Amino acid sequence: RQGTCIVTGASSGLGLATAKALAETGKWHIIMACRNFLKAERAAKSAGIAKENYTIMHLDLASLDSVRQFVDTFRRSGRPLDVLVCNAAVYLPTAKEPAFTAEGFELSVGTNHLGHFLLSRLLLEDMKKSDYPSKRLIIVGSITGNTNTLAGNVPPKANLGDLRGLSGGLNGLNRPAMIDGGVFDGAKAYKDSKVCNMLTMQEFHRRLHEETGIAFASLYPGCIATTGLFREHIPLFRLLFPPFQKYITKGFVTEDEAGKRPAQVVSDPSLTKSGVYWSWNKHSASFQNQLSQEASDAEKARKVCEISEKLVGLA
Ligand code: NDP
């Protein structure tokens, strides 16, 4: 049978390119989990995704009610769930003040980490029921959260500290709305959220891989300097960042090329390993990459998941 794969944030950039790459194989039905229905419909049409290969379902990761509603809608569709790709993200590098989700969590960590955390935890139950031979849960990480790389060392660096801000509710009421309890910085909040993404996959791997057979992985798709992710950045940055990546760092990858990468982790028979972080070299060959010390800290992973369970109402 055709596999069913949910892709969050499939209305633009990497998520759309991933949906397109998967749909083109004819082996997958894509559930495009998006906050803007019309935008997603237009995006699917302009990418040329065949109508029978996708369904759009509403999901706003910045609202835990919306996450729960999405899961209900998906369940009512009667489809099995074989693969989940957590791709959506916001990046607010120029924000002077924090913005907040419906439940009052700082928006970057609230959307990128907590929304996806609740979504994955709920949908794991559906994945367990699927008879698909190679079930996978994939999250899009980032090099910028990994302080063992050059890009990860550009300040402000990711650092979750002792998690005092996260434990305090990340709401800016009792403490500043940063995971480490520090002063708000939008670029750092994004990087921190990506560290949480990568930690979550490893914790799920340790807790659930043996029991469920599901492969848990994170990945870094390369620098796709042209996507909407940089829409909040200053105009000069948006002008110079793509050529900088193309000619100086040579880390640039087009959206179409980048989309093939998560698609590979979804369905390639050679990428079934669980608990790993995938990257691609300049010849587009996949390899198992090394995470930074913080992003592979098992004790921190356990704590982040424990606190997140409380924040999203699971514990
Ligand atoms: P885009 O901004 O193009 O795509 C982000 C997607 O997330 C959009 O579809 C957006 O929806 C969606 N989204 C944002 N907020 C929400 C929300 N509250 N609920 C549901 N969906 C939401 O950026 P990219 O394609 O570049 O980013 C995709 C992933 O790739 C992210 O996880 C990012 O961290 C990662 N990444 C990107 C890199 C790059 O160089 N671009 C490098 C490394 C990682 P809408 O269309 O409605 O705005």
Side-chain angles (χ1 to χ4, degrees):
R1 66 170 169 86
Q2 233 186 0
T4 302
C5 174
I6 295 177
V7 180
T8 69
S11 53
S12 75
L14 182 66
L16 178 63
T18 303
K20 184 180 169 201
L22 286 171
E24 276 170 358
T25 66
K27 293 183 188 155
W28 294 91
H29 186 88
I30 318 301
I31 307 291
M32 298 173 66
C34 299
R35 62 177 166 178
N36 183 333
F37 193 93
L38 192 61
K39 183 177 176 187
E41 185 60 56
R42 286 192 179 131
K45 283 220 174 84
S46 71
I49 306 178
K51 225 176 163 30
E52 65 275 15
N53 288 338
Y54 73 92
T55 305
I56 298 168
M57 287 184 195
H58 185 260
L59 168 67
D60 181 357
L61 288 159
S63 154
L64 299 180
D65 279 346
S66 170
V67 171
R68 289 183 180 280
Q69 260 169 34
F70 169 83
V71 172
D72 283 347
T73 309
F74 175 74
R75 287 180 181 159
R76 272 187 274 113
S77 77
R79 288 184 181 274
L81 179 59
D82 308 319
V83 176
L84 168 62
V85 179
C86 297
N87 159 79
V90 287
Y91 174 51
L92 309 160
T94 58
K96 297 273 180 290
E97 294 290 330
F100 297 93
T101 66
E103 287 76 19
F105 305 124
E106 185 280 317
L107 194 61
S108 329
V109 176
T111 305
N112 309 355
H113 167 57
L114 292 170
H116 277 134
F117 185 83
L118 178 62
L119 182 74
S120 330
R121 279 289 308 267
L122 296 175
L123 288 176
L124 269 166
E125 297 311 310
D126 302 74
M127 291 180 79
K128 283 183 196 166
K129 290 181 198 145
S130 145
D131 62 357
Y132 203 73
S134 184
K135 301 184 270 191
R136 307 181 195 183
L137 201 169
I138 301 155
I139 206 154
V140 180
S142 176
I143 195 172
T144 58
N146 278 302
T147 49
N148 57 340
T149 65
L150 197 64
N153 270 300
V154 176
K157 294 191 214 175
N159 178 8
L160 308 188
D162 63 4
L163 306 175
R164 66 178 67 178
L166 191 67
S167 321
L170 209 70
N171 53 23
L173 284 178
N174 311 319
R175 294 179 186 282
M178 296 292 285
I179 292 181
D180 65 359
V183 179
F184 175 74
D185 182 309
K188 181 176 183 296
Y190 169 81
K191 294 177 188 179
D192 288 351
S193 77
K194 291 280 134 183
V195 174
C196 290
N197 286 160
M198 296 181 281
L199 287 173
T200 302
M201 283 307 102
Q202 292 165 78
E203 180 65 12
F204 283 6
H205 164 72
R206 280 186 287 268
R207 280 198 214 170
L208 298 159
H209 174 63
E210 246 181 58
E211 173 202 332
T212 63
I214 298 169
F216 299 93
S218 58
L219 65 90
Y220 171 63
C223 184
I224 332 155
T226 51
T227 71
L229 196 67
F230 307 102
R231 66 175 80 94
E232 301 289 336
H233 227 302
I234 56 168
L236 187 65
F237 177 89
R238 281 187 274 135
L239 181 72
L240 296 179
F241 192 50
F244 173 72
Q245 292 295 344
K246 241 181 236 170
Y247 305 114
I248 314 286
T249 69
K250 302 209 163 62
F252 181 84
V253 57
T254 62
E255 291 180 33
D256 269 351
E257 188 56 33
K260 292 180 193 155
R261 297 175 174 183
Q264 238 180 311
V265 186
V266 167
S267 67
D268 194 312
S270 66
L271 302 190
T272 53
K273 197 165 171 193
S274 183
V276 297
Y277 166 58
W278 297 109
S279 296
W280 285 260
N281 67 20
K282 59 176 187 286
H283 307 294
S284 271
S286 59
F287 67 97
Q288 201 179 311
N289 206 348
Q290 202 73 42
L291 289 165
S292 69
Q293 199 179 3
E294 180 168 54
S296 47
D297 180 333
E299 183 53 22
K300 210 165 244 189
R302 191 184 61 74
K303 280 193 190 140
V304 164
C305 289
E306 212 175 87
I307 300 168
S308 303
E309 271 154 14
K310 285 195 190 119
L311 294 180
V312 302
L314 287 171

